[in-house]
Amino acid sequence: MNEIKRRQTQQVQIGNVWVGSDHPILVQSMTNTDTVDAEGTALQVKQLTDAGSEVVRITVNSPEAASKVAEIRQRLDDMGCNTPLVGDFHFNGERLLRDYQDCAKALAKYRINPGNVGKGVKGDEKFAYMIEQAALHDKAVRIGVNWGSLDQSLAKKMMDANLALAHPAPADAVMKEALITSALTSAQKAMDLGLPKNKIILSCKVSNVQDLIEVYADLAKRCDFPLHLGLTEAGMGSKGIVASSAALAVLLQQGIGDTIRISLTPEPGAPRTQEVVVAQELLQTMGLRNFTPLVTACPGCGRTTSTVFQELARDIQHYLREQMAVWRLKYPGVESLNVAVMGCVVNGPGESKLADIGISLPGTGETPIAPVYVDGERKVTLKGDNMAQEFIAIVEEYVET
Ligand code: SF4
């Protein structure tokens, strides 16, 4: 497999984790609870953590929310959950950090959006205060620029300058340049205000796949700050997953990206943790990290008219994910286990032999037996109604031994 060479960057500490250069690309997520609900927010952070989120962002949007951040941190600590919390500030971050010093201390990172800190001298003062707080409390900062909330005065200034040229650039090119300029000039301002360079992470999120790739590829060339990747407003369900994966995969392949978030709009009733699972699977399928043993399964076809094969593939993947909280501690390296569940004799034995452990279920018209392969060798042949349970038992035995 081709090794992806990571872009070399500053190395930034966020609470108990590190970001940048050859540190593992971190999975991030964000709560959607009201931060005022300290108990509910702490529980969701814990759920996201259990699913695999390594950094969790929470909205800090009001005095009531800011007043609860330290309690959320304490509740998490009491649950044995040390996941770093990032405070998402917009419009009033400076006031909240000023009035709630326990909030300023409890967070591991502040997300500052230069597009909505404020305008003119007042805006500069607010930005400066937030940066000074980060420096004072030794916190990391993500300067997170977003297409939807780009600094309008900067955008207008750059648009006007472009129009004055003999050959103006296309408007969308100027807007992309404005995004990058906003991130880089804000980072420079932060350093001028005394924030060390190795406390800064940048992001420039847009909602179009091609634009995101272009913006980040350019940004990556122009600085050595670690970059947080995410396609903003990616959307719901498969659209959000496909769009995010398409954009992020291209950048990750180029070694760009030090933390990622898959910004999925959850289907009503769907768990918030889905975005974490997708982020992990993206990194794992690209060979960048291993989180959970992944199941290789064929799509099934006219040779698999029963649902036994699909159900086993689903149950095994679910089972493996469920076990990881315990297995990760007991069996180091188990996350790279490769399990195959195949539907018939055409590709079943071949794929099963390539996996660490695989089963080739019988297709329609085949003898109703299922050979199981372990480390490339046929180990046992299952038959009867309990093949699924027996296969799970073989997987368990393999992991334990
Ligand atoms: Fe169909 Fe067999 Fe191929 Fe699966 S392995 S897709 S069941 S032919």
Side-chain angles (χ1 to χ4, degrees):
M1 190 161 51
N2 281 343
E3 186 107 333
I4 295 174
K5 198 168 173 314
R6 300 269 308 280
R7 169 177 164 265
Q8 295 302 292
T9 69
Q10 297 291 317
Q11 298 175 51
V12 178
Q13 188 168 14
I14 309 170
N16 60 339
V17 295
W18 284 85
V19 172
S21 280
D22 293 319
H23 292 293
I25 300 167
L26 293 187
V27 171
Q28 293 200 31
S29 58
M30 186 172 182
T31 55
N32 63 356
T33 49
D34 184 349
T35 306
V36 176
D37 174 9
E39 184 181 6
T41 301
L43 283 175
Q44 194 177 68
V45 173
K46 178 77 166 62
Q47 280 167 2
L48 291 164
T49 300
D50 290 346
S53 186
E54 294 158 309
V55 176
V56 178
R57 186 159 43 120
I58 60 174
T59 299
V60 188
N61 58 339
S62 65
E64 294 75 19
S67 73
K68 296 289 183 175
V69 171
E71 181 186 338
I72 293 167
R73 179 70 271 162
Q74 188 59 53
R75 283 176 178 272
L76 289 166
D77 291 344
D78 292 346
M79 287 188 270
C81 176
N82 57 7
T83 304
L85 292 177
V86 181
D88 198 46
F89 293 103
H90 300 273
F91 309 112
N92 57 359
E94 146 273 347
R95 182 157 62 90
L96 299 179
L97 288 174
R98 186 190 309 272
D99 293 348
Y100 297 92
Q101 280 288 294
D102 56 349
C103 164
K105 289 178 196 158
L107 294 167
K109 184 172 73 165
Y110 308 158
R111 184 270 170 109
I112 304 176
N113 181 342
N116 59 29
V117 171
K119 290 185 191 144
V121 176
K122 208 87 197 119
D124 288 346
E125 284 172 6
K126 287 179 175 181
F127 181 80
Y129 185 80
M130 294 182 79
I131 294 298
E132 282 159 15
Q133 285 295 301
L136 176 69
H137 297 299
D138 197 26
K139 306 297 182 184
V141 164
R142 170 158 69 93
I143 295 179
V145 181
N146 200 304
W147 187 266
S149 51
L150 178 60
D151 178 346
Q152 288 306 304
S153 56
L154 173 70
K156 182 173 181 321
K157 201 164 110 191
M158 291 180 69
M159 278 294 193
D160 290 347
N162 180 56
L163 288 174
L165 296 174
H167 302 288
D172 73 324
V174 180
M175 290 300 279
K176 284 177 210 159
E177 181 58 28
L179 273 174
I180 296 171
T181 302
S182 177
L184 292 177
T185 54
S186 298
Q188 187 58 53
K189 268 192 217 167
M191 289 190 292
D192 293 345
L193 288 161
L195 190 67
K197 191 173 190 185
N198 66 355
K199 290 284 175 195
I200 300 173
I201 297 169
L202 299 186
S203 66
C204 273
K205 294 190 180 180
V206 300
S207 57
N208 175 281
V209 171
Q210 295 296 346
D211 290 341
L212 190 92
I213 293 168
E214 205 181 316
V215 165
Y216 270 93
D218 197 1
L219 179 63
K221 279 192 217 135
R222 291 164 60 177
C223 69
D224 70 345
F225 296 109
L227 300 181
H228 169 65
L229 301 188
L231 186 77
T232 193
E233 286 94 45
M236 193 173 260
S238 60
K239 187 267 171 184
I241 293 171
V242 170
S244 291
S245 302
L248 269 53
V250 171
L251 292 165
L252 291 167
Q253 185 66 25
Q254 295 171 26
I256 298 169
D258 303 285
T259 74
I260 67 168
R261 179 181 179 215
I262 306 288
S263 301
L264 288 184
T265 307
E267 303 264 5
R272 186 69 172 171
T273 48
Q274 188 191 17
E275 65 173 52
V276 177
V277 174
V278 174
Q280 286 190 334
E281 288 181 347
L282 174 62
L283 293 176
Q284 186 154 353
T285 52
M286 291 194 69
L288 285 159
R289 290 189 66 183
N290 288 318
F291 297 96
T292 290
L294 290 184
V295 172
T296 301
C298 71
C301 66
R303 289 174 172 270
T304 51
T305 50
S306 90
T307 56
V308 173
F309 143 72
Q310 290 104 310
E311 285 166 7
L312 180 58
R314 178 200 61 197
D315 292 350
I316 282 281
Q317 184 66 80
H318 182 72
Y319 169 78
L320 293 170
R321 198 172 284 288
E322 291 280 296
Q323 300 312 305
M324 280 311 289
V326 175
W327 280 4
R328 193 174 287 116
L329 302 175
K330 276 174 86 175
Y331 310 116
V334 68
E335 58 276 3
S336 61
L337 185 75
N338 184 6
V339 179
V341 176
M342 299 294 292
C344 88
V345 75
V346 174
N347 291 321
E351 284 291 346
S352 298
K353 280 183 200 167
L354 288 173
D356 295 310
I357 180 162
I359 184 168
S360 176
L361 288 155
T364 317
E366 293 175 22
T367 310
I369 57 168
V372 173
Y373 296 81
V374 176
D375 295 330
E377 301 289 334
R378 185 166 171 160
K379 178 185 161 84
V380 66
T381 301
L382 304 180
K383 54 184 149 189
D385 295 334
N386 287 328
M387 284 192 281
Q389 290 82 352
E390 288 171 32
F391 183 60
I392 285 178
I394 294 170
V395 172
E396 257 178 12
E397 185 192 327
Y398 183 86
V399 170
E400 284 168 12
T401 56

